Amino acid sequence: MGEQRKGLVERLFAEHRRALQTFFYRRIRTKSDAPDLAQEVYVRMLRVNDIDAIRNPEHYLYTVASNLVKEYAVLDRWQARGVDLDEASIQQRLGELPTLDGQLDVTQRVARLRTVLAQLSPKCRAAVILQYRHGLSYQEIGERLNVSPHMVKKYLAQGLAHCRRRMARME
């Protein structure tokens, strides 16, 4: 029974992986998360106990994907709304990277962070670097990027949430 389920899910994933990634790419803000979300669909499909109860596996696959988009949107909104970037203790916590495995050396951490930062939009990446590497204020960053300080706060919230998610997944 387990092999039958695994075989069906592997076939579905092989046939629909690119289409799933496109499905996610069109529906989420952080485009670089699309492959991870497609993989999550695969994992969730493997957890289905009664695979025979699924009448239309392709439809079910996209139902799982659609539900995952909704979960992702809720999490994304919660993270964006729940961060007050003006509070000093929040600033300190946001500047810290998630705890990585103690065996990883600094070079590996920096390489991972560079990879994650490269996934951000140019203005979002610039805002994060200008804030945390160069210590510029929202006003100074806004002047350099030709955006309002409010938009700088949005870029920082978005960028830091992305970095935290991606760095945590790389552990």
Side-chain angles (χ1 to χ4, degrees), residues 20-32 34:
L20 272 175
Q21 288 179 1
T22 302
F23 176 87
F24 287 121
Y25 185 79
R26 291 180 178 162
R27 288 167 176 79
I28 62 174
R29 186 175 17 192
T30 309
K31 308 303 183 199
S32 59

Side-chain angles (χ1 to χ4, degrees), residues 102-116:
Q103 297 174 355
L104 293 178
D105 63 10
V106 173
T107 305
Q108 288 173 315
R109 291 181 193 179
V110 170
R112 284 183 174 182
L113 182 58
R114 281 191 180 127
T115 300
V116 170

Side-chain angles (χ1 to χ4, degrees), residues 15-138:
E15 292 174 2
H16 297 276
R17 184 184 48 131
R18 288 193 194 278
L20 272 175
Q21 288 179 1
T22 302
F23 176 87
F24 287 121
Y25 185 79
R26 291 180 178 162
R27 288 167 176 79
I28 62 174
R29 186 175 17 192
T30 309
K31 308 303 183 199
S32 59
D33 286 342
D36 291 335
L37 291 170
Q39 184 68 29
E40 179 63 23
V41 170
Y42 176 74
V43 170
R44 289 183 182 194
M45 291 288 293
L46 284 174
R47 291 182 188 150
V48 174
N49 290 326
D50 188 9
I51 202 79
D52 295 325
I54 299 173
R55 292 184 185 153
N56 185 340
E58 290 83 7
H59 183 267
Y60 188 78
L61 182 80
Y62 284 96
T63 300
V64 171
S66 180
N67 289 337
L68 194 54
V69 167
K70 291 172 189 169
E71 289 175 26
Y72 183 88
V74 168
L75 178 64
D76 197 39
R77 278 193 306 271
W78 178 81
Q79 287 175 338
R81 229 182 311 166
V83 177
D84 180 8
L85 294 173
D86 289 329
E87 188 178 323
S89 65
I90 297 294
Q91 286 287 340
Q92 181 181 0
R93 286 195 316 230
L94 289 175
E96 299 169 0
L97 291 175
T99 305
L100 296 173
D101 186 28
Q103 297 174 355
L104 293 178
D105 63 10
V106 173
T107 305
Q108 288 173 315
R109 291 181 193 179
V110 170
R112 284 183 174 182
L113 182 58
R114 281 191 180 127
T115 300
V116 170
L117 286 172
Q119 297 168 348
L120 296 172
S121 69
K123 284 192 176 184
C124 190
R125 179 176 48 249
V128 171
I129 291 170
L130 290 171
Q131 170 79 41
Y132 291 97
R133 188 171 187 193
H134 300 287
L136 298 183
S137 69
Y138 297 155

